[in-house]
Amino acid sequence: MIPNRILPVLCGLGIAASAFAIPLTEQVSEQRVLGDVTLGSQPSGQLSGRFLHITDFHLDSHYKPGTSVERVCHRKTGTAGPLGAQGTDCDSPQALIDETFRWIETNLKGKIDFVLWTGDSARHDNDEHIPRTVEEIIDLNEILAAKFIDVFEDKETPRGLSIPIIPTIGNNDIMPHNIFKEGPNRWTREFMEVWARFIPEHQRHTFEEGGWFLAEVIPNKLAAISLNTMYFFESNSIVDGCAAKSEPGYEHMEWLRIQLELLRERNMKAILIGHVPPARAGSKRNWDESCWQKYTLFLNRFRDIVIGSIYGHMNIDHFMLQDGHSVDILAASENSQDDPDFLVQSRSSYLTSLRENWAEMPSPPADMSSFESWSDTELGAASGALGKKERRFLDKIGGPWAERYSVSLVSPSVVPNYFPTLRVIEYNTTGLEGVTVWAESPYSDDSIESVTLDSDTDELDEQVAKKKKGKKNKKNKKKKPHFKVPDHPSPTAPPGPAYSDQTMSWLGYTQYYANLTMIYDETHEDNTDPADLNLYAVEYDTRTDKIYKMKDLTVRSYFELAKRISNKNPRKKDALVETIESSSSSAFTSEGEEPSEEGTTLANGKKNKKKKNKDKKKHNRVWRTFLQRAFVGFLSDDELDGITKSEN
């Protein structure tokens, strides 16, 4: 529980909800102080079923507390705090990095199985008086790598670390930022040395070639695939997507396809990680279209292998659903032409575009039971037990497990564009008791790439051809893509861990944040050092959350959450009602509650009980909560009101 002395501060910051937002008692009920978080240490040699995702440190060695945020916290007198300047363009001071790793060591060491670190460790190049240098970028990344080694070093293990650390290259980890030419290049060589403790020996040649690699985080069971999204990134003007065989993006996608084929042969599962996420909503396009097409195709075809994908870069907490029906395989093999007038949207309009996309996804019949109430057994038999409308809906979404879609998660950043954050994800370890853990597995010289693949023909399968009928002319029907199209999972294979709760399925995550505004207020009031505080607290936990109500992190759960977020006429339990009276005043209540009546006072002192004219408007509190969390609880109620009301 949050101490009583902090509640007034929360209210003043807008983190406690107004009558329009979530009631304060509901919000703080899950805000457990760190010392109360029940993350037990696993016995030596056993898995905990948890891993850490952390992203966008943006360490700035030039940061000076007490300087001006308008001078990116480098010069002049201002309000820059000792642990960072929340809600500004300033990067992270060394003190924030130190305290973040102290928190990780105190609260997570011995309680997680691996770390996914998704790039952007160096500061932005946003101060013309102190331009970045190549040496500085490398030094900042070396500092972060050393921090991970200090926390997780274990000289008694064959690998010298207690758990694997899987890094990836960010668009600000290179110079000039965003620009990454075909490898081998200076940056692949530099990072191969900086991350020498993290990249498996037999993958170092692969990494030097293109900045991507694979590591088995649970030997022979689970691999993390570190993608170099710089070759997919629309802002990297020196490369041109994933369509032409001469492009590094094409080579990267072919490498990814081969890795997933090999993992399928070995009956292993995979997590994909990268820096820049495959955002595609409204006018927002992070990736070249040909790269997005292949990525979405591969997630669909390897849905038995890929458990999930994780990204950073965008600084806002959200998820995106890739629609397998949006894939045009022939177009994916040709050079894509993006809109030359592409404009980067504001974050709020981007999130609104996501919501509009989700509104266009198939909706279940009004009388169809929620996925929440169905067990996997019931879902498996649903097609034979439901009526025509229900069966038609399940057909539209790819069956009872929504296999038409895949999910990519985007975590907010350590750098306090809003508030610093990190995320711990829990996964299902059923059947993994007694497996050999990473720290106890010696290095192997056997490359996962050494297995020979069958030379299948590059042709469209029947399902893809059926989907495209009537959309292509005869000439196009005879065309073949210029890359190998992966097979679907075996028709007899059960749904993968991304779709049905089983071994290695993601069960939930805990989002931690450091509310610097509250910390500064508290330390100023008590005259204490911020370093004496336990920095990160629970923002929300999907396992116990009363708004999202997700029983797990399967695609099916995210599909249902997306539909709830997108609903402009939310069901009763997701609704907040705004009552607008003739006096232009308004009141907000949860659905089903009535605002109190007010009458006019007559000359005799009695009340005229005639009701005022009232209009009622429903608002979706799941959408509002999604927005609130996207910005890590930083936006005020008025700012959230401005976003939610502007679209109604």
XYZ file of all heavy atoms in Angstrom, residues 466-549:
691
model
N -6.193 -18.904 -52.095
C -7.632 -18.727 -51.912
C -7.937 -17.334 -51.410
O -8.886 -16.689 -51.842
C -8.149 -19.769 -50.916
C -9.651 -19.681 -50.686
C -10.097 -20.660 -49.607
C -9.943 -22.083 -50.077
N -10.496 -23.048 -49.095
N -7.110 -16.835 -50.497
C -7.339 -15.517 -49.938
C -7.242 -14.428 -50.999
O -7.929 -13.406 -50.941
C -6.318 -15.258 -48.835
C -6.399 -13.883 -48.211
C -5.211 -13.662 -47.322
C -4.968 -12.164 -47.214
N -3.691 -11.865 -46.624
N -6.375 -14.648 -51.974
C -6.132 -13.623 -52.975
C -7.067 -13.716 -54.173
O -6.995 -12.880 -55.066
C -4.689 -13.723 -53.475
C -3.681 -13.299 -52.435
C -2.290 -13.413 -53.007
C -1.299 -12.847 -52.012
N -1.477 -11.431 -51.835
N -7.946 -14.714 -54.241
C -8.754 -14.879 -55.431
C -9.631 -13.652 -55.653
O -10.171 -13.060 -54.728
C -9.623 -16.133 -55.324
C -10.748 -16.051 -54.308
C -11.569 -17.327 -54.330
C -12.713 -17.248 -53.322
N -13.535 -18.452 -53.344
N -9.719 -13.261 -56.882
C -10.511 -12.098 -57.232
C -9.791 -10.783 -57.024
O -10.295 -9.732 -57.406
N -8.576 -10.822 -56.464
C -7.863 -9.579 -56.192
C -6.695 -9.371 -57.147
O -6.123 -8.289 -57.180
C -7.351 -9.569 -54.740
C -8.456 -9.558 -53.708
C -7.871 -9.428 -52.321
C -8.973 -9.366 -51.273
N -8.433 -9.237 -49.917
N -6.303 -10.379 -57.857
C -5.163 -10.285 -58.759
C -5.588 -10.716 -60.157
O -6.455 -11.579 -60.337
C -4.012 -11.199 -58.271
C -3.498 -10.840 -56.885
C -2.748 -9.535 -56.899
C -2.249 -9.178 -55.517
N -1.567 -7.881 -55.505
N -4.952 -10.131 -61.154
C -5.258 -10.577 -62.508
C -4.560 -11.891 -62.799
O -3.789 -12.393 -61.989
C -4.849 -9.492 -63.522
C -3.359 -9.160 -63.421
O -2.552 -10.008 -63.062
N -3.013 -7.915 -63.736
N -4.824 -12.464 -63.944
C -4.295 -13.799 -64.241
C -2.774 -13.817 -64.232
O -2.156 -14.772 -63.788
C -4.818 -14.268 -65.597
C -6.309 -14.552 -65.596
C -6.744 -15.079 -66.952
C -8.242 -15.400 -66.947
N -8.686 -15.903 -68.258
N -2.184 -12.748 -64.726
C -0.726 -12.689 -64.753
C -0.151 -12.752 -63.340
O 0.789 -13.485 -63.060
C -0.277 -11.407 -65.445
C 1.236 -11.274 -65.551
C 1.597 -9.997 -66.290
C 3.121 -9.857 -66.374
N 3.507 -8.603 -67.079
N -0.756 -11.986 -62.423
C -0.276 -11.976 -61.048
C -0.512 -13.298 -60.344
O 0.244 -13.685 -59.468
C -0.936 -10.845 -60.262
C -0.248 -9.521 -60.521
O 0.856 -9.490 -61.046
N -0.916 -8.439 -60.167
N -1.590 -14.012 -60.714
C -1.863 -15.301 -60.078
C -0.745 -16.295 -60.353
O -0.509 -17.199 -59.570
C -3.193 -15.857 -60.571
C -4.414 -15.198 -59.928
C -5.685 -15.868 -60.374
C -6.902 -15.245 -59.710
N -8.160 -15.871 -60.144
N -0.062 -16.133 -61.463
C 1.003 -17.055 -61.814
C 2.345 -16.625 -61.235
O 3.321 -17.362 -61.318
C 1.116 -17.155 -63.335
C -0.135 -17.766 -63.983
C 0.017 -17.817 -65.488
C -1.247 -18.401 -66.147
N -1.132 -18.435 -67.620
N 2.395 -15.446 -60.675
C 3.643 -14.955 -60.101
C 4.013 -15.717 -58.844
O 3.142 -16.211 -58.128
C 3.530 -13.471 -59.753
C 3.812 -12.529 -60.907
C 3.873 -11.105 -60.370
C 4.270 -10.142 -61.458
N 4.366 -8.768 -60.930
N 5.291 -15.766 -58.570
C 5.784 -16.309 -57.316
C 6.561 -15.215 -56.597
O 7.190 -14.377 -57.233
C 6.696 -17.505 -57.566
C 6.005 -18.709 -58.181
C 6.987 -19.844 -58.387
C 6.305 -21.052 -59.017
N 7.272 -22.152 -59.230
N 6.531 -15.213 -55.285
C 7.313 -14.211 -54.557
C 8.796 -14.475 -54.730
O 9.210 -15.595 -55.040
C 6.868 -14.404 -53.111
C 6.395 -15.808 -53.044
C 5.801 -16.111 -54.383
N 9.597 -13.442 -54.501
C 11.045 -13.560 -54.677
C 11.731 -14.012 -53.394
O 12.895 -13.707 -53.173
C 11.619 -12.219 -55.143
C 10.992 -11.696 -56.383
N 10.802 -12.468 -57.509
C 10.488 -10.470 -56.674
C 10.225 -11.738 -58.455
N 10.010 -10.525 -57.965
N 11.010 -14.722 -52.544
C 11.597 -15.267 -51.320
C 10.802 -16.503 -50.934
O 9.684 -16.708 -51.406
C 11.585 -14.238 -50.182
C 10.199 -13.830 -49.732
C 9.598 -14.451 -48.646
C 9.495 -12.833 -50.397
C 8.334 -14.085 -48.225
C 8.223 -12.462 -49.979
C 7.645 -13.082 -48.902
N 11.399 -17.329 -50.095
C 10.727 -18.553 -49.683
C 9.610 -18.220 -48.693
O 9.833 -17.554 -47.700
C 11.710 -19.515 -49.015
C 11.089 -20.845 -48.641
C 12.085 -21.740 -47.941
C 11.482 -23.112 -47.646
N 10.225 -23.050 -46.907
N 8.425 -18.690 -49.006
C 7.284 -18.486 -48.113
C 7.244 -19.645 -47.117
O 7.114 -20.798 -47.512
C 5.970 -18.418 -48.909
C 4.785 -18.259 -47.958
C 6.011 -17.269 -49.905
N 7.358 -19.359 -45.819
C 7.378 -20.449 -44.830
C 6.052 -21.198 -44.797
O 4.994 -20.673 -45.146
C 7.623 -19.723 -43.504
C 8.099 -18.364 -43.873
C 7.500 -18.039 -45.189
N 6.134 -22.435 -44.362
C 4.930 -23.238 -44.199
C 4.166 -22.801 -42.951
O 4.740 -22.277 -41.999
C 5.290 -24.724 -44.048
C 5.887 -25.298 -45.318
O 5.526 -24.821 -46.405
O 6.718 -26.215 -45.201
N 2.869 -23.066 -42.977
C 2.067 -22.945 -41.760
C 2.456 -24.057 -40.794
O 3.081 -25.056 -41.179
C 0.579 -23.090 -42.091
C -0.046 -21.859 -42.657
N -0.370 -20.770 -41.888
C -0.422 -21.551 -43.929
C -0.918 -19.840 -42.649
N -0.965 -20.285 -43.894
N 2.111 -23.927 -39.520
C 2.282 -25.066 -38.613
C 1.508 -26.272 -39.132
O 0.552 -26.136 -39.907
C 1.686 -24.561 -37.294
C 1.678 -23.076 -37.398
C 1.508 -22.764 -38.855
N 1.914 -27.429 -38.694
C 1.192 -28.642 -39.074
C -0.277 -28.512 -38.679
O -0.590 -28.001 -37.594
C 1.803 -29.851 -38.362
O 0.941 -30.975 -38.460
N -1.208 -28.930 -39.551
C -2.634 -28.823 -39.205
C -3.017 -29.622 -37.971
O -4.057 -29.366 -37.363
C -3.329 -29.352 -40.462
C -2.295 -30.132 -41.195
C -0.984 -29.505 -40.891
N -2.181 -30.566 -37.581
C -2.461 -31.359 -36.381
C -1.801 -30.778 -35.135
O -2.013 -31.283 -34.035
C -1.974 -32.795 -36.563
O -0.560 -32.798 -36.805
C -2.687 -33.459 -37.748
N -0.996 -29.713 -35.323
C -0.296 -29.119 -34.178
C -1.264 -28.286 -33.345
O -2.133 -27.603 -33.884
C 0.860 -28.252 -34.667
N -1.142 -28.334 -32.039
C -1.989 -27.479 -31.185
C -1.564 -26.029 -31.331
O -0.476 -25.739 -31.850
C -1.696 -28.009 -29.779
C -0.318 -28.576 -29.871
C -0.184 -29.139 -31.260
N -2.390 -25.076 -30.882
C -1.979 -23.668 -30.931
C -0.717 -23.451 -30.102
O -0.493 -24.125 -29.096
C -3.183 -22.928 -30.345
C -3.919 -23.948 -29.545
C -3.719 -25.241 -30.263
N 0.122 -22.505 -30.534
C 1.380 -22.251 -29.852
C 1.203 -21.499 -28.548
O 0.102 -21.066 -28.190
N 2.316 -21.303 -27.798
C 2.246 -20.624 -26.497
C 1.746 -19.188 -26.572
O 1.313 -18.643 -25.555
C 3.701 -20.669 -26.005
C 4.334 -21.789 -26.749
C 3.666 -21.821 -28.079
N 1.814 -18.561 -27.744
C 1.292 -17.197 -27.864
C -0.226 -17.180 -27.857
O -0.831 -16.124 -27.635
C 1.804 -16.551 -29.152
N -0.852 -18.346 -28.066
C -2.297 -18.392 -28.263
C -3.048 -19.145 -27.180
O -4.212 -18.849 -26.913
C -2.595 -19.008 -29.645
C -2.041 -18.151 -30.754
C -0.746 -18.337 -31.224
C -2.783 -17.115 -31.293
C -0.215 -17.522 -32.213
C -2.271 -16.292 -32.281
C -0.986 -16.499 -32.743
O -0.470 -15.672 -33.708
N -2.400 -20.117 -26.580
C -3.065 -20.938 -25.567
C -2.116 -21.136 -24.395
O -0.927 -21.436 -24.605
C -3.452 -22.287 -26.171
O -3.970 -23.150 -25.187
N -2.601 -20.960 -23.185
C -1.769 -21.051 -21.998
C -1.166 -22.441 -21.880
O -1.876 -23.437 -21.727
C -2.598 -20.719 -20.751
C -1.769 -20.720 -19.477
O -0.527 -20.790 -19.572
O -2.359 -20.651 -18.389
N 0.149 -22.503 -21.959
C 0.903 -23.760 -21.892
C 2.327 -23.416 -21.493
O 2.625 -22.281 -21.128
C 0.872 -24.459 -23.256
C 1.447 -23.605 -24.374
C 1.160 -24.156 -25.753
O 1.965 -24.899 -26.289
N 0.009 -23.806 -26.322
N 3.220 -24.371 -21.558
C 4.609 -24.135 -21.207
C 5.176 -22.973 -22.006
O 5.079 -22.944 -23.231
C 5.450 -25.397 -21.467
O 4.896 -26.488 -20.742
C 6.891 -25.190 -21.035
N 5.753 -21.994 -21.324
C 6.410 -20.789 -21.840
C 5.446 -19.712 -22.322
O 5.871 -18.676 -22.813
C 7.444 -21.139 -22.915
C 8.679 -21.793 -22.318
S 10.024 -22.057 -23.460
C 9.465 -23.484 -24.364
N 4.138 -19.905 -22.178
C 3.201 -18.811 -22.462
C 3.428 -17.669 -21.478
O 3.736 -17.892 -20.300
C 1.754 -19.295 -22.322
O 1.414 -20.222 -23.313
N 3.249 -16.446 -21.945
C 3.344 -15.288 -21.058
C 2.055 -15.152 -20.270
O 0.962 -15.098 -20.831
C 3.612 -14.025 -21.865
C 4.964 -14.032 -22.528
C 5.958 -14.956 -22.347
C 5.461 -13.084 -23.464
N 7.055 -14.637 -23.112
C 6.774 -13.488 -23.818
C 4.947 -11.932 -24.037
C 7.557 -12.774 -24.716
C 5.725 -11.221 -24.933
C 7.014 -11.634 -25.261
N 2.189 -15.078 -18.960
C 1.023 -15.056 -18.072
C 0.610 -13.646 -17.665
O -0.569 -13.380 -17.436
C 1.324 -15.890 -16.824
C 1.705 -17.353 -17.078
C 2.101 -18.022 -15.756
C 0.570 -18.097 -17.739
N 1.574 -12.758 -17.537
C 1.282 -11.399 -17.115
C 2.571 -10.636 -16.941
O 3.662 -11.195 -17.014
N 2.444 -9.332 -16.717
C 3.636 -8.552 -16.418
C 3.334 -7.519 -15.342
O 2.184 -7.111 -15.150
C 4.232 -7.881 -17.665
C 3.380 -6.810 -18.321
C 3.313 -5.515 -17.806
C 2.677 -7.086 -19.496
C 2.550 -4.540 -18.425
C 1.915 -6.120 -20.119
C 1.862 -4.836 -19.588
O 1.106 -3.868 -20.195
N 4.393 -7.122 -14.644
C 4.311 -6.048 -13.663
C 5.065 -4.854 -14.221
O 6.253 -4.974 -14.567
C 4.930 -6.466 -12.322
O 4.299 -7.664 -11.867
C 4.742 -5.372 -11.282
N 4.375 -3.733 -14.349
C 5.000 -2.503 -14.828
C 5.429 -1.676 -13.622
O 4.593 -1.307 -12.789
C 4.021 -1.711 -15.696
C 4.643 -0.549 -16.439
C 5.609 -1.006 -17.514
O 5.404 -2.037 -18.162
N 6.686 -0.258 -17.711
N 6.731 -1.409 -13.529
C 7.280 -0.592 -12.454
C 7.591 0.810 -12.973
O 7.998 0.971 -14.126
C 8.565 -1.215 -11.907
C 8.372 -2.551 -11.230
C 8.561 -3.744 -11.929
C 8.019 -2.630 -9.895
C 8.385 -4.977 -11.319
C 7.843 -3.854 -9.260
C 8.026 -5.026 -9.984
O 7.849 -6.241 -9.366
N 7.409 1.795 -12.127
C 7.770 3.159 -12.520
C 8.327 3.924 -11.326
O 8.088 3.574 -10.177
C 6.578 3.881 -13.138
C 5.511 4.408 -12.195
C 4.900 5.631 -12.443
C 5.098 3.698 -11.066
C 3.899 6.130 -11.609
C 4.102 4.185 -10.232
C 3.517 5.405 -10.506
O 2.536 5.899 -9.676
N 9.108 4.950 -11.643
C 9.662 5.837 -10.622
C 8.983 7.187 -10.782
O 9.310 7.949 -11.695
C 11.168 5.968 -10.791
N 8.039 7.484 -9.911
C 7.309 8.748 -9.978
C 8.212 9.848 -9.418
O 8.199 10.140 -8.224
C 6.009 8.648 -9.182
C 5.121 9.864 -9.365
O 5.606 10.978 -9.502
N 3.817 9.635 -9.364
N 9.009 10.455 -10.305
C 10.003 11.420 -9.852
C 9.356 12.649 -9.228
O 9.927 13.248 -8.304
C 10.902 11.829 -11.032
C 11.787 10.722 -11.611
C 12.686 11.288 -12.701
C 12.627 10.060 -10.527
N 8.192 13.038 -9.710
C 7.505 14.183 -9.119
C 7.206 13.921 -7.650
O 7.468 14.755 -6.776
C 6.201 14.486 -9.882
O 6.489 14.659 -11.259
C 5.545 15.737 -9.337
N 6.654 12.759 -7.375
C 6.334 12.401 -5.998
C 7.608 12.230 -5.168
O 7.677 12.662 -4.014
C 5.502 11.112 -5.983
C 5.056 10.680 -4.603
S 3.788 9.388 -4.684
C 4.647 8.109 -5.586
N 8.629 11.625 -5.773
C 9.891 11.420 -5.051
C 10.511 12.754 -4.682
O 10.969 12.959 -3.544
C 10.853 10.575 -5.907
C 10.370 9.118 -5.961
C 12.273 10.639 -5.361
C 11.116 8.252 -6.949
N 10.540 13.694 -5.617
C 11.131 15.005 -5.322
C 10.322 15.746 -4.262
O 10.890 16.402 -3.387
C 11.222 15.845 -6.593
C 12.230 15.332 -7.601
C 12.104 15.615 -8.955
C 13.324 14.574 -7.204
C 13.014 15.156 -9.888
C 14.252 14.098 -8.126
C 14.083 14.394 -9.470
O 15.000 13.935 -10.383
N 9.000 15.650 -4.333
C 8.172 16.287 -3.317
C 8.442 15.685 -1.945
O 8.564 16.396 -0.945
C 6.689 16.147 -3.660
C 6.266 17.069 -4.790
O 7.065 17.944 -5.162
O 5.144 16.899 -5.313
N 8.521 14.365 -1.890
C 8.740 13.686 -0.614
C 10.115 14.009 -0.037
O 10.250 14.291 1.153
C 8.614 12.173 -0.802
C 7.190 11.679 -0.912
C 6.465 11.807 0.415
O 6.805 11.075 1.353
O 5.570 12.669 0.497
N 11.149 13.970 -0.879
C 12.498 14.206 -0.370
C 12.703 15.669 0.015
O 13.444 15.974 0.947
C 13.548 13.783 -1.406
O 13.276 14.443 -2.661
C 13.519 12.286 -1.621
N 12.047 16.551 -0.701
C 12.133 17.971 -0.335
C 11.454 18.221 1.007
O 11.968 18.944 1.862
C 11.480 18.836 -1.421
C 11.433 20.296 -1.082
N 12.555 21.109 -1.138
C 10.402 21.091 -0.670
C 12.220 22.333 -0.787
N 10.923 22.356 -0.497
N 10.307 17.561 1.185
C 9.546 17.736 2.412
C 10.289 17.150 3.605
O 10.319 17.736 4.693
C 8.186 17.045 2.238
C 7.160 17.356 3.305
C 5.832 16.725 2.960
O 5.219 17.128 1.959
O 5.423 15.803 3.682
N 10.913 15.976 3.404
C 11.599 15.292 4.511
C 13.093 15.618 4.571
O 13.803 15.117 5.447
C 11.431 13.773 4.373
C 9.970 13.351 4.437
O 9.160 14.154 4.931
O 9.653 12.245 3.981
N 13.576 16.381 3.569
C 14.994 16.725 3.498
C 15.870 15.477 3.457
O 16.883 15.370 4.155
C 15.394 17.613 4.686
C 16.711 18.345 4.438
O 17.068 18.610 3.278
N 17.440 18.638 5.496
N 15.437 14.503 2.637
C 16.191 13.260 2.494
C 16.805 13.186 1.104
O 16.390 13.879 0.180
C 15.298 12.032 2.720
O 14.216 12.070 1.771
C 14.736 12.010 4.117
N 17.780 12.320 0.962
C 18.445 12.107 -0.317
C 17.596 11.162 -1.156
O 17.235 10.071 -0.685
C 19.823 11.496 -0.067
C 20.647 11.373 -1.339
O 20.060 11.439 -2.437
O 21.874 11.198 -1.230
N 17.273 11.522 -2.435
C 16.493 10.603 -3.274
C 17.131 9.224 -3.404
O 16.446 8.219 -3.593
C 16.455 11.328 -4.624
C 16.621 12.772 -4.290
C 17.526 12.803 -3.102
N 18.451 9.164 -3.287
C 19.132 7.874 -3.393
C 18.804 6.945 -2.233
O 19.045 5.740 -2.312
C 20.649 8.086 -3.471
N 18.246 7.503 -1.157
C 17.883 6.666 -0.007
C 16.533 5.982 -0.205
O 16.127 5.160 0.622
C 17.837 7.514 1.265
C 19.223 8.021 1.665
O 20.212 7.377 1.278
O 19.298 9.063 2.342
N 15.810 6.332 -1.277
C 14.494 5.750 -1.523
C 14.619 4.482 -2.354
O 15.580 4.288 -3.090
C 13.597 6.755 -2.242
C 13.311 8.073 -1.512
C 12.453 8.965 -2.393
C 12.602 7.805 -0.198
N 13.616 3.624 -2.230
C 13.503 2.464 -3.108
C 12.808 2.959 -4.374
O 11.611 3.194 -4.383
C 12.685 1.376 -2.414
C 13.070 -0.003 -2.914
O 13.793 -0.149 -3.887
N 12.565 -1.029 -2.237
N 13.565 3.157 -5.428
C 13.173 4.027 -6.540
C 11.885 3.624 -7.241
O 10.994 4.444 -7.463
C 14.321 4.104 -7.544
C 14.149 5.068 -8.719
C 13.989 6.491 -8.244
C 15.340 4.945 -9.671
N 11.750 2.353 -7.634
C 10.641 1.934 -8.488
C 9.504 1.324 -7.667
O 9.737 0.546 -6.737
C 11.116 0.923 -9.532
C 11.990 1.540 -10.596
C 13.375 1.621 -10.438
C 11.435 2.069 -11.758
C 14.179 2.190 -11.410
C 12.232 2.641 -12.738
C 13.603 2.701 -12.554
O 14.391 3.281 -13.517
N 8.290 1.672 -8.045
C 7.089 1.120 -7.428
C 6.220 0.497 -8.516
O 6.421 0.739 -9.707
C 6.315 2.214 -6.689
N 5.251 -0.301 -8.113
C 4.356 -0.941 -9.082
C 3.377 0.089 -9.619
O 2.638 0.720 -8.863
C 3.587 -2.107 -8.432
C 2.611 -2.716 -9.436
C 4.556 -3.164 -7.916
N 3.380 0.266 -10.930
C 2.359 1.106 -11.559
C 1.074 0.304 -11.754
O -0.006 0.732 -11.378
C 2.854 1.651 -12.896
C 1.840 2.576 -13.548
C 2.153 2.905 -14.988
O 3.113 2.341 -15.557
O 1.411 3.713 -15.570
N 1.196 -0.882 -12.365
C 0.064 -1.802 -12.480
C 0.588 -3.199 -12.743
O 1.730 -3.389 -13.164
C -0.932 -1.365 -13.566
C -0.402 -1.441 -14.984
C -0.660 -2.533 -15.805
C 0.340 -0.391 -15.523
C -0.187 -2.594 -17.101
C 0.811 -0.437 -16.824
C 0.545 -1.535 -17.604
O 1.017 -1.602 -18.905
N -0.248 -4.178 -12.479
C 0.102 -5.588 -12.649
C -1.040 -6.236 -13.415
O -2.181 -6.252 -12.940
C 0.291 -6.242 -11.276
C 0.762 -7.682 -11.355
O 0.544 -8.328 -12.401
O 1.339 -8.169 -10.364
N -0.770 -6.762 -14.596
C -1.858 -7.318 -15.415
C -2.514 -8.519 -14.763
O -3.663 -8.841 -15.084
C -1.342 -7.728 -16.812
O -0.357 -8.771 -16.677
C -0.736 -6.544 -17.547
N -1.819 -9.180 -13.851
C -2.393 -10.368 -13.216
C -3.511 -10.006 -12.236
O -4.393 -10.825 -11.973
C -1.304 -11.157 -12.468
C -0.186 -11.708 -13.339
C -0.682 -12.747 -14.342
N -1.307 -13.888 -13.717
C -0.651 -14.970 -13.288
N 0.656 -15.039 -13.413
N -1.292 -15.975 -12.752
N -3.473 -8.805 -11.687
C -4.458 -8.414 -10.676
C -5.223 -7.150 -11.059
O -6.034 -6.662 -10.268
C -3.761 -8.176 -9.321
O -2.755 -7.162 -9.480
C -3.116 -9.452 -8.807
N -4.983 -6.637 -12.235
C -5.551 -5.359 -12.645
C -7.069 -5.426 -12.784
O -7.606 -6.329 -13.436
C -4.925 -4.938 -13.980
C -5.427 -3.601 -14.452
O -5.403 -2.647 -13.669
O -5.865 -3.512 -15.611
N -7.764 -4.463 -12.200
C -9.225 -4.452 -12.199
C -9.822 -3.790 -13.433
O -11.044 -3.824 -13.609
C -9.737 -3.757 -10.937
C -9.393 -4.500 -9.656
C -9.951 -3.782 -8.438
C -9.626 -4.545 -7.171
N -10.156 -3.866 -5.953
N -8.988 -3.177 -14.264
C -9.482 -2.528 -15.471
C -9.255 -3.410 -16.696
O -10.187 -3.746 -17.425
C -8.815 -1.160 -15.676
C -8.986 -0.296 -14.422
C -9.407 -0.451 -16.900
C -10.421 0.035 -14.086
N -8.010 -3.825 -16.928
C -7.722 -4.671 -18.090
C -8.314 -6.072 -17.933
O -8.781 -6.667 -18.887
C -6.217 -4.776 -18.303
C -5.579 -3.576 -18.969
C -6.327 -2.451 -19.305
C -4.218 -3.568 -19.260
C -5.740 -1.359 -19.906
C -3.618 -2.482 -19.867
C -4.384 -1.372 -20.183
O -3.776 -0.296 -20.789
N -8.229 -6.636 -16.739
C -8.805 -7.949 -16.436
C -8.310 -9.027 -17.400
O -9.083 -9.820 -17.924
C -10.335 -7.878 -16.464
C -10.919 -6.894 -15.468
C -12.425 -6.801 -15.567
C -12.979 -5.787 -14.588
N -14.438 -5.621 -14.701
